[in-house]
Amino acid sequence: MNRSQYNKCVEQYADRIFRFALSSLRDEDKAKDVVQETFARIWEHVDTVEFERAKPYLFTAAHHLMIDEIRRCQKTEPLDVTCNQESISNSYSDIQEVLHNALATLPEVQRNVILLRDYEGYSYQEIGEITGLSESQVKVYIFRGRTALKKQLKSIDNLIDVEP
């Protein structure tokens, strides 16, 4: 990959990687750090990474960096589910906000595969390459995640404003 192809990768994928990282980390500064470190890693291997394989390489690197960051936070901070995830309130009227909160309740692996499949449009095989899972594991995690989302979003109280 040459310099112009690297710059093209930055233009095409930086925002997508940021959204992917932000959806898991829920912290803009940490998500920006993941994006920066992801592009630093591909720059270190710019001679060995082909331009056509840059997208999977970038998302794989970002995925691994996000996992590292989550593990680092769990070691330094006591795990408190109520602090890490926003609770769903009956007063939400914005469906996107409700969906993001529902996604936040999923286990990390389910959330990541759903985001890669439904938000980023990756195939099952590509998701498997990025996450290190088999294609059948990816399908199982997506099914379980979607089932949990459907169950959580099924309640009409989560979708409309309810005045007490």
Side-chain angles (χ1 to χ4, degrees):
M1 177 183 330
N2 59 35
R3 184 182 296 258
S4 65
Q5 290 173 327
Y6 173 83
N7 290 335
K8 189 173 183 177
C9 284
V10 172
E11 290 173 17
Q12 287 182 339
Y13 304 122
D15 289 338
R16 294 172 75 181
I17 293 170
F18 175 75
R19 286 192 312 268
F20 178 56
L22 183 62
S23 64
S24 291
L25 299 174
R26 317 277 282 154
D27 183 329
E28 284 190 29
D29 292 331
K30 289 179 182 177
K32 289 177 183 177
D33 290 344
V34 166
V35 173
Q36 184 174 356
E37 182 63 27
T38 299
F39 282 102
R41 286 189 179 185
I42 197 169
W43 182 253
E44 291 171 1
H45 302 288
V46 72
D47 295 333
T48 58
V49 176
E50 297 175 20
F51 178 68
E52 295 77 27
R53 299 291 303 155
K55 182 180 175 184
Y57 182 93
L58 289 167
F59 276 89
T60 300
H63 174 74
H64 290 292
L65 288 165
M66 289 177 349
I67 290 172
D68 292 344
E69 182 62 33
I70 290 168
R71 288 179 182 158
R72 186 176 19 254
C73 288
Q74 287 176 346
K75 287 181 182 177
T76 59
E77 300 170 4
L79 182 61
D80 184 6
V81 175
T82 59
C83 291
N84 293 334
Q85 299 175 351
E86 298 174 17
S87 62
I88 294 180
S89 170
N90 289 340
S91 63
Y92 286 124
S93 61
D94 185 6
I95 188 70
Q96 187 174 11
E97 190 173 356
V98 171
L99 183 58
H100 284 289
N101 287 325
L103 279 168
T105 63
L106 294 177
E108 188 68 28
V109 66
Q110 288 178 3
R111 179 174 49 243
N112 285 340
V113 295
I114 286 175
L115 290 171
L116 287 169
R117 177 72 179 169
D118 296 335
Y119 280 57
E120 300 298 331
Y122 280 103
S123 69
Y124 296 120
Q125 181 182 3
E126 291 172 321
I127 295 169
E129 291 173 9
I130 291 170
T131 59
L133 301 170
S134 71
E135 192 172 331
S136 60
Q137 288 174 314
V138 169
K139 290 177 182 180
V140 168
Y141 283 128
I142 289 174
F143 174 78
R144 289 178 182 168
R146 286 177 178 166
T147 302
L149 286 174
K150 183 192 289 185
K151 185 176 181 180
Q152 184 166 0
L153 296 174
K154 196 172 186 178
S155 170
I156 193 73
D157 293 341
N158 290 333
L159 301 177
I160 60 172
D161 285 334
V162 177
E163 294 296 323

